[in-house]
Structure formats: structure tokens, C-alpha cells
Amino acid sequence: MSGERKVRLGVIGSGKGSNFVALAQACRDAKLPAEIAVVLSDVAESGILKHAVDFGLPARFIAPGPFRTKLDESAESNYVTALREARVDLVVLAGFMRILKGGFLAAFPRRVINIHPALLPAFPGLASWKQALDHGVKVTGCTVHWVDQGIDTGRIIAQQAVPVLDGDTAETLHERIQQAERVLYPQTIGELIRKGVVKVAVA
Amino acid sequence: MSGERKVRLGVIGSGKGSNFVALAQACRDAKLPAEIAVVLSDVAESGILKHAVDFGLPARFIAPGPFRTKLDESAESNYVTALREARVDLVVLAGFMRILKGGFLAAFPRRVINIHPALLPAFPGLASWKQALDHGVKVTGCTVHWVDQGIDTGRIIAQQAVPVLDGDTAETLHERIQQAERVLYPQTIGELIRKGVVKVAVA
């Protein structure tokens, strides 16, 4: 019976959820042949969870445990369980500020993607728009990539260039990159589905 | 009497001279408010010297000395002398395959630029189009930068993004980047002159 349902996305984020909103709109407007099955966050008061509720989507805070930059083992297991219960075909990181370890990635082999606000391999890590501005580049952008255990090191799926303009501040540049992300992320996930790279795992 | 003559460029290259040809055409067609005062090469049979002769421009082979990746001290001094005799206001590296040391750079402070076939700081060094292809990026490009003593580390002046297309080989990607270089380099030098960053040093 595979193929009778849409590809199910599990979105995980820590922040305001601008990429999530773009994905939810694209699914709702049938521009992206997928549905969002669940939205998870490690931040109880995050914008992404509020937006998920506004879209009428299942949304859950799952406590991350005591560490600042990763999930502890039981938290990781809770995330995996929630995604599996939601029968998620693709895990979509959207501003999730923690590193995923091998246990999580082994549960979703080649089914976890992320978007990073720079043209990787340039400027991995935090606040990459500020790194780019400080370095003085004239072109930066955003990158959709498979997630591996490194920090922004996974294989690149798609990239979009974004110009740095005279007079840009970290804020104006970040906003311009985020505008590009909100187009690139739904478009790239759509292409992965249409090409059959991402497909319905369990009918 | 400063301003009565055009900005004089000294072009140095080791290869076929495709960027040189673009610069010479832009000067000839008055798209670039400059003139090429001298063309120097460390390779006697290089295309750049042949093209320079075709354009009727002064062209000289200057032996680089015994090293493979730099000029020896007396060679460096010969290059500096030739550029000074030609009253060069800006030294333009165009496919010059040797590192310039402090002595050369001190002779032309903030007056040496280079073009690199990648979006620096990504993929410095040799065959950067191949590095980009092997890394799997979807966007690469070219960068005009001031030359310092590092390898492709100087301050960035301008960049142009170039897409990597499905099915690209090192050759097809390199050619697409070079097309962008032939537009970006004359355009960037023109802007430096129009903004007064580069100007006539000796009338």
C-alpha cells in the first residue's frame, strides 16, 4: 500500500520557527508533496511550537536533558520514539541548536536533513552570517545538507547564493539569508521526494 | 599633473592568459578606464605573453629562478624593477602560479590584486574548481582579493557566485568559473578606479 499516503515530515527546532512556517505553508498549499506529522522542540516556549499549534499540527516539547549542546541519552531516545510514533519518513532540522549523536542518526539513516545559513564548507557552526560579514565575503548563502555526526559537515544537497550588500549589519544579512532559506528548504525537500530519494517508509 | 594619464596596470601571469585578454579588451574598448602598461610572465612560452604581443603591448618573460612555487630574491627584484619602470599603479595577477613574498608586496603596498576561482575562504590553493566539485558544493564562484603573504587569504574585494550543474566535470565547471572571472575582474578593477581606491600614483 506504499505510495497511498504522503511523505511525512518530522520537524525539530529550537527557535522562532521561520523555516517551519515556510514548510507548513508549502505543505498546506500543496507546493510540497508532504505533510508535517509532528513538530518537536527542546525549548518549551519556542516560536516553532506556537506556530505548529497555529497550523493545527501535533507539537511537543521534549526535555533535552542537562547538556547545553546535545541531547542526553534518554532525551535522544524520547525524540526517536516520538518521531517513530508519528511514522516520520524524513527528519527536518529547522533551527535545532543541538548536535545529534550516532544513536539518533542510526535510527533514521540518511533521513535527517538540516539547513545552514552559509555556503558550506565556509562558515560552519554558530552565527555563520556574522562570521561571513566579519570575514568580508561579498557572497554567502544557505545550504541544505544531510546530517552526520560532524558540525555542518554532511553531504550537500542544495545551496543558494545570497549577496552581502554594502552597509549590511549582521541582522540585515541574516534576514536576507533567511528569506532564501524559506524558499530553498521546501523546494529542496520537494525535489528529494519527486526524485524518490525520500519516500514513504511505512505505508 | 596627476589625473592626466590613465591608471596603468601591470599584469603578471603564467598561463594561457584568458583573464588578461578580457582585461586588454576592456581597456581597448574603454569599458575599463585604465591601460595595460606591461605584461610579465615567468613562463617564456605562455599564452599570456603571446596574447600581449597580439594586443601590441609590452610583454616580457622574466626568469623566476630555481624555486617552483615562488620567485627567488633576484627574480623578485627584477619583477619589481620592470613594474616600476613601466610606472604601474596596480599589479594585477592573472593566473600567476607563484607566491609573492614580503619584498614584492612592500614595493607595491595595497596595490596587488588577484582573482581566485572559488568563493574564498572556501577552496584556497590549487585547482579550486576540482576541490569544489569533489566536495559536492552546488554553488562556487570566483573572488577578487588583495594579495597578502598568505595563500588566497587577502581581503576580499568582490565575488561572483557560479552554479555547479548536474553532470559537471572539472573542465566544464572550470570553464564556467572562468567565464565569470572574465566579467568580474575588469568590472572590479573599474570600480576600484572609479571609487578612487586605485589611482594614478605618479603623473
Side-chain angles (χ1 to χ4, degrees), chain A:
Chain A
M1 305 286 277
S2 150
E4 293 208 353
R5 68 162 174 85
K6 281 186 179 171
V7 163
R8 293 168 70 83
L9 309 179
V11 182
I12 315 182
S14 309
K16 62 187 163 75
S18 64
N19 272 311
F20 160 73
V21 169
L23 292 168
Q25 287 171 339
C27 289
R28 185 195 62 196
D29 302 344
K31 288 177 184 164
L32 173 55
E35 61 186 319
I36 294 173
V38 70
V39 180
L40 305 177
S41 182
D42 59 326
V43 178
E45 298 299 310
S46 60
I48 190 171
L49 289 181
K50 291 180 187 124
H51 285 304
V53 171
D54 292 341
F55 274 90
L57 293 169
R60 268 182 69 189
F61 162 69
I62 302 182
F67 304 114
R68 204 172 52 85
T69 62
K70 61 175 184 176
L71 301 171
D72 77 357
E73 217 166 291
S74 75
E76 187 174 87
S77 162
N78 292 337
Y79 276 82
V80 168
T81 300
L83 293 163
R84 282 191 171 145
E85 283 175 0
R87 293 184 300 140
V88 159
D89 303 304
L90 182 70
V91 179
V92 178
L93 305 185
F96 186 57
M97 298 305 283
R98 290 169 188 274
I99 299 158
L100 293 171
K101 295 295 185 180
F104 185 100
L105 297 175
F108 301 98
R110 211 197 150 103
R111 284 192 286 153
V112 185
I113 65 175
N114 184 38
I115 191 161
H116 180 79
L119 289 179
L120 291 170
F123 311 123
L126 296 176
S128 51
W129 58 91
K130 191 166 179 309
Q131 293 184 53
L133 199 65
D134 290 348
H135 194 96
V137 298
K138 307 302 179 185
V139 176
T140 182
C142 50
T143 301
V144 179
H145 63 93
W146 298 105
V147 174
D148 64 15
Q149 290 191 64
I151 295 179
D152 308 318
T153 54
R155 200 159 64 81
I156 292 169
I157 305 168
Q159 296 185 299
Q160 174 64 48
V162 173
V164 180
L165 303 182
D166 289 349
D168 257 340
T169 62
E171 290 68 32
T172 58
L173 179 57
H174 190 198
E175 172 56 29
R176 191 176 310 114
I177 294 170
Q178 287 190 311
Q179 283 175 20
E181 289 183 3
R182 292 192 286 263
V183 176
L184 185 67
Y185 216 5
Q187 177 185 304
T188 302
I189 295 170
E191 282 171 17
L192 289 173
I193 294 170
R194 277 182 281 267
K195 289 179 179 172
V197 177
V198 167
K199 49 195 167 193
V200 170
V202 183

Side-chain angles (χ1 to χ4, degrees), chain B residues 1-201:
Chain B
M1 304 284 279
S2 151
E4 293 208 353
R5 67 163 174 86
K6 282 186 180 171
V7 163
R8 293 167 70 83
L9 309 179
V11 183
I12 314 182
S14 309
K16 62 186 163 77
S18 63
N19 272 311
F20 161 73
V21 169
L23 292 168
Q25 287 171 340
C27 289
R28 184 194 62 196
D29 302 344
K31 288 177 185 164
L32 174 54
E35 61 186 317
I36 295 174
V38 71
V39 179
L40 305 178
S41 181
D42 58 326
V43 178
E45 299 298 310
S46 60
I48 191 171
L49 289 181
K50 290 180 187 125
H51 284 304
V53 170
D54 290 343
F55 274 90
L57 293 169
R60 267 182 71 189
F61 162 69
I62 302 181
F67 306 114
R68 205 172 52 85
T69 61
K70 62 176 184 176
L71 301 171
D72 78 357
E73 216 166 293
S74 75
E76 188 173 87
S77 162
N78 291 338
Y79 277 82
V80 169
T81 301
L83 293 164
R84 283 190 170 147
E85 283 175 359
R87 293 184 299 139
V88 159
D89 303 304
L90 181 69
V91 178
V92 178
L93 305 186
F96 186 56
M97 299 305 282
R98 290 169 188 272
I99 300 159
L100 293 172
K101 296 294 184 180
F104 185 100
L105 297 175
F108 300 99
R110 211 197 150 101
R111 285 190 287 152
V112 185
I113 65 174
N114 184 38
I115 191 159
H116 180 80
L119 290 178
L120 292 171
F123 311 124
L126 295 175
S128 51
W129 57 92
K130 191 167 178 309
Q131 294 183 52
L133 199 65
D134 291 347
H135 194 95
V137 298
K138 308 302 178 184
V139 176
T140 183
C142 49
T143 301
V144 179
H145 63 93
W146 297 107
V147 174
D148 64 16
Q149 290 191 63
I151 294 178
D152 306 319
T153 53
R155 200 158 65 80
I156 292 169
I157 304 168
Q159 295 185 299
Q160 174 63 49
V162 172
V164 180
L165 303 182
D166 290 349
D168 257 340
T169 62
E171 290 68 33
T172 59
L173 179 57
H174 190 198
E175 173 55 28
R176 192 176 310 114
I177 294 170
Q178 288 190 309
Q179 283 174 21
E181 290 183 3
R182 293 192 285 263
V183 176
L184 185 67
Y185 216 6
Q187 178 185 302
T188 303
I189 295 170
E191 281 170 18
L192 289 173
I193 294 169
R194 278 181 280 269
K195 288 178 178 171
V197 177
V198 167
K199 49 194 167 193
V200 170

